[in-house]
Each structure stands twice: as structure tokens, then as C-alpha cells.
């Protein structure tokens, strides 16, 4: 089972500067129904995301809400978030809503992170969603582009078990162009044949919360089974994509292997800027030091800095304003053109 570090207290500190265990435990845990640590961990990360918590708490069912599954899950989340403010919570309503029949069978935390956000949908899940384009180019320069929404960015771990994976380098590799081998050549409609292709990914719309999935589990063709890479992770506390800056605020950890293990989360509170470890019913104070060269980190959550969001909002308004003026100018020119008297011959 996973364990969390706690804060070392100085016994010589002044009495008024010390905090009691009760004061430190300002957040409440979630009861494990059997093997539901994966679900508890995801729910605590979502609860500790300010925008998501606010959106859930302010949700009101309307006549246009046609998806019963979405409404039911949102109402269950509302109840759970209300409980977590005052006491330890239970996920029984959530497991019923998600149709989890066997609470003694462990599932993948990333899978349920995506499932919950896709089920509740926008606008509640909007802060987690971005847009990405998958691009391919043949030898003759014909480009095919497909845009889609994303919640997580999967990072392939291409280092050995005893090596260190650098998250920043892994993120750069995800966007780096690559040439496909002949077995994976893509069909080009304009060339009317399969051809050597170059592919790359590009972010079109930046999310407020950037989630990186560290793909520790992969299929080993030598052993003919899925294995877990237990390598250490060099995790940056902040990162930058384009002109946008992000700060790490939550990490989902997995200890064990594919056949079994335990999940917990280390999360930085948006309310007091302190780090906490959420481990089922237990919530203890922690620090980002526990994340250094972690062999358990599985999912990383980064929040876009406020100043980056402000710049993004201002830029969006400027672009909208510019487009409006261009449209207005074009309309005036067209009006002057059609209203101009015809020249006599």
C-alpha cells in the first residue's frame, strides 16, 4: 500500500506557532470500498481543482439537460463535494452512477479521470479540455490535418527501468515530427497511394489545466504481457507550452504493477498553497519534495498561471476586435462600391 510523508515538527518551536494534528487535517478523505483507491484519488484531484469544484457546486439541472448519465453524475459529485467540506466521504453514489459493479477490482485511474470528465461534459469539464491537431505530410508535401479535443497528453516512456525519464523532454518529443517506417505509411488521397509520411502533433487550443499521462504500462513482446516501467521521473514544478506557463499542483501516484497496487495523490491546495497527500481515508500534510525522482508518479496536473490566462483572454478579445473591424471595413467598402453611380458611356 502507498504511504505519504508527513511534516516534521520542531519540538522546540513556540507553542503558538505549532499546529495540532486536527488543524493540519483540514481536508477529509474518502472511504475505500474495497479496491477503489483509483477512484478516490481521481475524485480528490477534481475536488481540489478550483474551477471544477465551483462548476460542480453551481450546477443546476435544466429542461435542456438530456443526458441522464451526466446529470446523475453531477448531482452525485455535488453531494460528495458538500460532504468533503465537513466529513469523510463515501463514493457509493459515484460508483453506482459510473456503473462500477465490482468495487473489489482495481481499475486504471487515468481511464476513470477521462471517463468522469467526458461524462459530465462541458461547461463543467471545460478547464481540462484543449484542442490538438494530428498532422501528416507525404513526400510531395500534401498535408492532412485532423483536429480533436483532448483531456490528457500521453507521454511515452522510452528509457529503462533504472534510468531517469525527463518529463520536459518527453513533452517535447510528443510534439516533435517523426517519419513513419514503411509498414506504417499513410494513404494520401491526392497521391492516390500509400507513401512515406511525416507526422506531428500541434496544440491548437491551450487548456487551463494541462494533464500529462506518464505511460508506465506498455506491452512487452518478449514476455507477451503488459509490464510497468518503474523508472524515476524528473518532474518539473513548472513548464511552458508556447507562451503559456503552468505550475504543477497535483500528482497521482501508483505503487505496484499491472496485476495490483495502490493509488494516492499529492496535491497543492489552492486555498492555502500547502501540499497534502490524499490516501483514501487519510489526509496528511506533504511537500513537493516527495515528488523528486519519483518512481510512482503516473499522472501530472498543471494549472495555467493567472497572468497567462489574463494574457490569453486579452489576446482573444483583441483578435475578436480586430476581426470585427475587418468585417466592418469590408462591409463599408462593399456598400460604397455597390452604391457608386454607374459611369455613363
Amino acid at each position: 500500500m502507498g504511504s505519504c510523508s508527513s511534516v516534521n515538527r520542531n519540538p522546540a518551536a513556540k507553542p503558538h506557532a505549532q499546529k495540532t494534528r486536527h488543524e493540519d487535517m483540514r481536508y477529509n478523505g474518502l472511504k475505500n470500498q474495497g479496491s477503489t483507491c483509483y477512484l478516490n484519488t481521481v475524485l480528490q484531484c477534481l475536488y481540489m481543482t478550483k474551477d471544477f469544484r465551483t462548476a460542480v457546486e453551481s450546477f443546476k439541472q435544466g429542461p435542456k439537460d438530456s443526458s441522464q448519465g451526466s446529470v446523475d453524475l453531477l448531482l452525485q459529485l455535488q453531494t460528495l463535494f458538500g460532504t468533503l467540506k465537513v466529513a469523510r466521504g463515501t463514493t457509493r453514489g459515484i460508483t453506482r452512477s459510473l456503473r462500477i459493479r465490482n468495487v473489489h477490482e482495481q481499475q486504471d485511474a487515468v481511464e476513470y479521470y477521462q471517463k468522469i470528465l467526458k461524462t459530465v461534459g462541458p461547461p463543467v469539464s471545460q478547464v481540462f479540455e484543449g484542442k490538438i491537431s494530428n498532422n501528416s505530410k507525404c513526400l510531395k508535401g500534401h498535408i492532412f490535418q485532423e483536429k480533436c479535443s483532448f483531456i490528457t497528453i500521453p507521454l511515452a516512456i522510452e528509457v529503462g527501468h533504472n534510468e531517469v525519464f525527463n518529463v520536459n523532454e518527453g513533452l517535447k518529443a510528443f510534439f516533435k515530427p517523426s517519419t513513419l517506417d514503411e509498414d506504417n505509411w499513410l494513404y494520401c488521397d491526392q497521391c492516390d497511394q500509400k507513401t512515406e509520411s511525416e507526422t506531428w502533433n500541434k496544440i491548437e487550443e491551450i487548456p487551463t489545466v494541462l494533464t500529462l499521462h506518464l505511460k508506465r504500462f506498455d506491452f512487452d513482446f518478449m514476455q507477451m504481457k503488459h509490464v510497468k516501467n518503474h523508472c524515476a521521473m524528473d518532474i518539473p514544478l513548472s513548464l511552458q507550452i508556447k507562451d503559456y506557463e503552468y505550475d504543477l499542483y497535483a500528482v497521482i501516484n501508483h505503487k505496484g504493477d499491472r496485476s495490483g497496487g495502490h493509488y494516492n495523490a499529492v496535491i497543492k491546495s489552492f486555498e492555502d498553497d500547502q501540499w497534502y497527500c490524499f490516501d483514501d481515508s487519510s489526509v496528511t500534510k506533504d511537500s513537493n519534495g516527495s515528488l523528486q525522482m519519483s518512481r510512482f508518479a503516473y499522472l501530472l496536473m498543471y494549472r495555467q498561471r493567472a497572468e497567462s490566462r489574463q494574457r490569453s483572454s486579452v489576446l482573444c478579445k483583441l483578435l475578436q476586435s480586430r476581426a470585427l473591424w475587418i468585417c466592418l471595413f469590408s462591409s463599408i467598402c462593399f456598400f460604397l462600391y455597390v452604391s457608386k453611380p454607374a459611369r455613363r458611356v
Side-chain angles (χ1 to χ4, degrees):
M1 302 295 283
S3 61
C4 306
S5 60
S6 59
V7 173
N8 293 321
R9 297 179 175 80
N10 181 4
K14 294 180 180 180
H16 70 271
Q18 292 183 343
K19 290 186 176 181
T20 65
R21 180 176 176 80
H22 176 73
E23 288 172 333
D24 283 342
M25 298 284 289
R26 61 171 298 165
Y27 293 110
N28 295 294
L30 288 167
K31 182 180 179 182
N32 192 325
Q33 296 186 59
S35 295
T36 55
C37 55
Y38 66 93
L39 183 62
N40 291 350
T41 300
V42 169
L43 291 170
Q44 292 285 20
C45 287
L46 296 177
Y47 176 71
M48 297 296 286
T49 301
K50 183 179 180 180
D51 296 311
F52 184 80
R53 190 197 298 186
T54 301
V56 167
E57 291 174 342
S58 60
F59 171 75
K60 293 181 180 179
Q61 185 176 357
K64 294 183 180 180
D65 294 322
S66 58
S67 175
Q68 186 59 40
S70 171
V71 171
D72 182 64
L73 181 56
L74 279 166
L75 294 176
Q76 293 294 343
L77 287 170
Q78 273 189 340
T79 300
L80 177 61
F81 286 6
T83 300
L84 284 175
K85 289 184 175 181
V86 295
R88 185 180 69 173
T90 176
T91 58
R92 287 177 181 172
I94 303 292
T95 53
R96 283 197 300 269
S97 182
L98 292 173
R99 295 183 172 84
I100 299 174
R101 293 179 174 83
N102 186 359
V103 295
H104 297 283
E105 181 181 16
Q106 188 175 99
Q107 303 290 342
D108 184 71
V110 176
E111 178 185 343
Y112 274 83
Y113 177 80
Q114 295 173 331
K115 185 173 184 177
I116 290 172
L117 293 177
K118 288 179 180 178
T119 300
V120 298
V124 178
S125 64
Q126 189 170 349
V127 294
F128 298 95
E129 295 184 12
K131 281 190 168 48
I132 197 168
S133 62
N134 302 313
N135 305 273
S136 62
K137 183 172 68 174
C138 72
L139 282 176
K140 294 185 178 180
H142 301 138
I143 296 178
F144 173 77
Q145 184 182 78
E146 183 180 23
K147 293 183 180 180
C148 59
S149 299
F150 74 92
I151 292 174
T152 62
I153 292 180
L155 301 186
I157 300 175
E158 297 180 348
V159 300
H161 294 271
N162 297 318
E163 297 177 291
V164 176
F165 177 77
N166 185 294
V167 172
N168 254 325
E169 293 302 317
L171 187 59
K172 291 177 183 177
F174 179 81
F175 295 106
K176 185 179 179 181
S178 61
T179 302
L180 301 179
D181 55 41
E182 188 172 356
D183 291 336
N184 295 307
W185 281 2
L186 300 177
Y187 183 85
C188 176
D189 289 331
Q190 291 169 279
C191 297
D192 196 27
Q193 64 179 357
K194 282 190 173 184
T195 177
E196 184 177 335
S197 308
E198 182 182 58
T199 64
W200 68 95
N201 300 307
K202 181 182 178 182
I203 286 189
E204 302 293 340
E205 292 184 20
I206 300 287
T208 301
V209 175
L210 180 69
T211 307
L212 305 181
H213 172 203
L214 307 175
K215 298 184 67 177
R216 286 190 179 275
F217 296 97
D218 201 6
F219 191 80
D220 188 325
F221 287 93
M222 296 292 291
Q223 302 182 52
M224 294 304 293
K225 66 177 183 179
H226 282 90
V227 296
K228 182 184 178 184
N229 190 324
H230 295 272
C231 71
M233 295 284 175
D234 184 0
I235 302 172
L237 296 180
S238 61
L239 53 80
Q240 185 166 336
I241 295 183
K242 295 183 177 180
D243 296 326
Y244 300 91
E245 296 171 312
Y246 288 84
D247 293 314
L248 181 71
Y249 79 96
V251 177
I252 289 180
N253 298 308
H254 179 265
K255 186 176 183 180
D257 52 33
R258 184 175 174 83
S259 59
H262 182 69
Y263 287 98
N264 62 38
V266 178
I267 309 172
K268 184 179 182 180
S269 167
F270 63 86
E271 295 171 304
D272 65 4
D273 287 332
Q274 299 295 312
W275 288 86
Y276 294 86
C277 179
F278 293 80
D279 193 350
D280 288 335
S281 296
S282 171
V283 182
T284 55
K285 293 195 75 174
D286 208 300
S287 72
N288 56 26
S290 65
L291 307 175
Q292 294 178 6
M293 295 300 163
S294 170
R295 292 184 178 273
F296 308 129
Y298 185 47
L299 189 81
L300 309 178
M301 298 172 68
Y302 289 84
R303 183 186 291 111
Q304 191 180 137
R305 289 182 185 174
E307 54 267 31
S308 290
R309 291 200 296 272
Q310 290 170 359
R311 288 199 302 269
S312 176
S313 177
V314 170
L315 180 60
C316 183
K317 289 179 180 178
L318 286 173
L319 289 173
Q320 290 175 347
S321 176
R322 183 183 177 189
L324 179 62
W325 281 109
I326 291 174
C327 182
L328 182 60
F329 179 75
S330 300
S331 298
I332 292 173
C333 290
F334 179 75
F335 175 77
L336 293 175
Y337 174 76
V338 297
S339 61
K340 185 178 179 181
R343 182 181 298 177
R344 294 183 180 179
V345 179

